């Protein structure tokens, strides 16, 4: 990239659209606000040795047994059959997760993470680590794809809002010729005065609220509660710099 050319900043609103983007020449940020990427940064912030994202419950159980790790995950917002722990960031305080390995499978986030495997680098982002994500992306000077995990390939509000929040913070450092990025930023600007209140109309808010998870949602929409950068190394998410 020449000195006069800024790197590209793009937003992919659904895993179903990822094939349209130049993944191999970009850093991809995996975004699954409710709740995978919020839980990942929280577990690492609270001392987890690493988080291993896997696609299936069977793989989660198998690797967990092999490594004597904590196995966790959800399907459709509830703890998956065969696993002991779910996808709530509140399940992973330091006294529980400190020094341990977490093997995690989720409905949407881990799927997108595996789809983006050819990227220059993969990191995970959510509001609890938004500052760490933005500082990293600015510092790398590479093309960036903000990849929304969505909900079963359908565009969702919370991931789009987070992508828009990142765009609003870092866009001056990038070339941005992407309607999805503009759309995400416009949505974020509409919501930013009260993101929690704005999210009440969203389908996933209503889905999780039925399970009594409004405090999870509030935490997942709050900036910098677990401000570390999970970065994928050899199939494992660890804190950048450790």
């Amino acid at each position: 990239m020449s000195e006069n050319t800024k790197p590209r900043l793009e937003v992919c609103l659904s895993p179903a659209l990822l094939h349209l983007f130049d993944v191999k020449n970009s850093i991809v940020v995996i975004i699954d606000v409710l709740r995978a990427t919020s839980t990942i940064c929280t577990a690492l912030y609270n001392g987890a040795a690493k988080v291993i994202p896997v696609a299936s419950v069977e793989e989660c159980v198998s690797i967990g047994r092999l490594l004597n790790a904590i196995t966790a995950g959800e399907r459709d917002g509830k703890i998956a059959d065969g696993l002991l722990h779910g996808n709530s960031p509140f399940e992973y305080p330091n006294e529980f997760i400190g020094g341990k390995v977490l093997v995690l499978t989720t409905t949407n986030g881990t799927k997108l993470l595996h789809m983006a495997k050819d990227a220059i680098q993969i990191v995970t982002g959510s509001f609890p680590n938004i500052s760490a994500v933005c500082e990293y992306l600015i510092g790398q000077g590479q093309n960036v794809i903000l990849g929304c995990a969505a909900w079963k390939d359908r565009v969702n509000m919370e991931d789009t809002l987070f992508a828009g929040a990142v765009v609003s913070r870092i866009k001056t450092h990038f070339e941005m010729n992407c309607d999805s990025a503009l759309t995400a930023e416009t949505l974020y600007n509409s919501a930013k005065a009260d993101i929690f209140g704005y999210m009440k109309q969203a389908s996933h808010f209503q889905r999780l609220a039925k399970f009594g998870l409004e405090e999870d949602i509030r935490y997942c929409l709050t900036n910098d509660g677990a401000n570390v950068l999970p970065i994928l190394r050899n199939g494992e998410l660890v804190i950048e710099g450790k």
Side-chain angles (χ1 to χ4, degrees), residues 21-240:
F21 292 81
D22 185 10
V23 171
K24 287 185 179 178
N25 293 301
S26 306
I27 294 170
V28 175
V29 181
I30 305 297
I31 302 165
D32 188 0
V33 170
L34 297 177
R35 294 167 286 165
T37 56
S38 299
T39 297
I40 287 164
C41 66
T42 301
L44 289 169
Y45 179 80
N46 286 337
K50 56 191 172 187
V51 177
I52 302 175
V54 298
S56 71
V57 173
E58 293 74 21
E59 197 180 357
C60 190
V61 171
S62 168
I63 293 173
R65 198 173 288 132
L66 193 67
L67 299 179
N68 193 28
I70 294 165
T71 57
E74 53 77 27
R75 289 293 179 269
D76 299 332
K78 294 180 284 190
I79 296 175
D81 289 343
L83 301 178
L84 295 177
H85 301 280
N87 197 24
S88 169
F90 294 128
E91 288 188 69
Y92 303 101
N94 173 264
E95 54 270 24
F96 174 63
I97 197 66
K100 295 175 185 165
V101 175
L102 175 64
V103 188
L104 181 69
T105 181
T106 69
T107 306
N108 305 292
T110 47
K111 169 189 163 187
L112 177 60
L113 204 149
H114 288 284
M115 287 174 67
K117 66 183 188 314
D118 293 330
I120 292 173
Q121 186 62 65
I122 293 173
V123 300
T124 68
S126 185
F127 288 99
N129 71 328
I130 187 170
S131 293
V133 169
C134 291
E135 287 161 17
Y136 174 79
L137 296 177
I138 292 167
Q140 293 303 299
Q142 303 269 12
N143 296 330
V144 169
I145 299 167
L146 301 175
C148 300
W151 175 258
K152 299 182 179 179
D153 284 345
R154 296 186 180 198
V155 172
N156 70 11
M157 190 179 288
E158 62 273 15
D159 296 345
T160 305
L161 281 170
F162 177 76
V166 173
V167 168
S168 73
R169 287 196 186 198
I170 72 174
K171 64 182 181 179
T172 57
H173 299 270
F174 291 84
E175 188 70 39
M176 202 171 75
N177 183 23
C178 173
D179 285 7
S180 297
L182 291 169
T183 300
E185 186 187 16
T186 302
L187 185 71
Y188 170 69
N189 284 336
S190 298
K192 64 184 178 183
D194 179 14
I195 287 184
F196 183 80
Y198 195 89
M199 268 294 297
K200 286 184 178 179
Q201 62 192 309
S203 62
H204 205 25
F205 184 106
Q206 293 164 21
R207 199 176 293 117
L208 293 177
K210 283 179 188 170
F211 302 134
L213 295 170
E214 289 198 19
E215 283 311 302
D216 275 36
I217 298 168
R218 191 179 291 280
Y219 172 83
C220 293
L221 297 174
T222 301
N223 289 350
D224 295 338
N227 197 32
V228 295
L229 186 78
I231 191 160
L232 193 69
R233 304 258 189 237
N234 303 313
E236 302 171 344
L237 287 159
V238 295
I239 295 176
E240 170 67 348

